[in-house]
Amino acid sequence: KLKTEATQRFELNQIREKSKLNNTQEAVTEVDVLRETLKSIPLFKGGTISFFHELALALKLRIFQPNENIIVQDEPGSSMFFVADGIADVVSKDGKTVYGEFRPSSFFGEVALFYVINRTATIRARAVCTTLELHKDSLRAILAQHESLARTMLAKAEENYKLAIERQKAVKKLQSDGDTHKFTLEDTIERLSKANTSNYVPTFKKASPNFIRTMAQYTSVHRFKKGEMICKKGE
């Protein structure tokens, strides 16, 4: 185990040296810093110190240039990404519309760690964007040594997966019925977080991007007919 850790540290340091990182990039990609960043991810809640340490060592440094796609909508996914430095935009498939953004300490793509599912959005680097990628095979190898945590994480991932599938089905149903409104996860995130939209929710003004994204995942799409009761007082 010590030999494996030493090899992983050596490989990570080699990649960091070859990438010619600036001072900020150097700081945010230190193993100790990465370990603390991982603790903020809801999916990994309950992890032990050793789990987070192993996870930090398994991350792969990926640097994307301005306007370079990090992931592309509808393409198969098998990893998640953490933004260490820079900003990444959530854009439409044609790249013309920006729905939202991911700043340092944000993450995306976590459902792909457990399920075969196509990417639900295109994420593009706005400027030079330093990210850390976690592949599903690396996570599985680590979780093999943390069985209790593996069960908890799988249950959480399954919940997120079902929410994603239900949303996709609801959106497709509305679109097939001729509804032209936008109800994708990214559209919902934009409504919850952007002050310049007509549907802006003031309650979430100071909420972090990770909180907004989690909140959006738990929303469901419903359409009510004219005069139909949405909710009743006292219920």
Side-chain angles (χ1 to χ4, degrees), residues 98-100 185-195 197 212:
V98 177
Y99 295 116
L185 179 62
E186 282 63 41
D187 291 313
T188 303
I189 292 172
E190 182 180 39
R191 290 190 181 97
L192 291 174
S193 61
K194 284 197 172 181
T197 62
I212 292 293

Side-chain angles (χ1 to χ4, degrees), residues 67 69 72-73 89-100 121-125 182 187 190 194:
N67 297 317
N69 287 336
V72 177
Q73 184 178 342
D89 289 320
V90 184
V91 301
S92 57
K93 196 170 183 180
D94 61 10
K96 295 180 180 179
T97 304
V98 177
Y99 295 116
T122 294
I123 313 295
R124 183 180 65 197
K182 296 180 178 180
D187 291 313
E190 182 180 39
K194 284 197 172 181

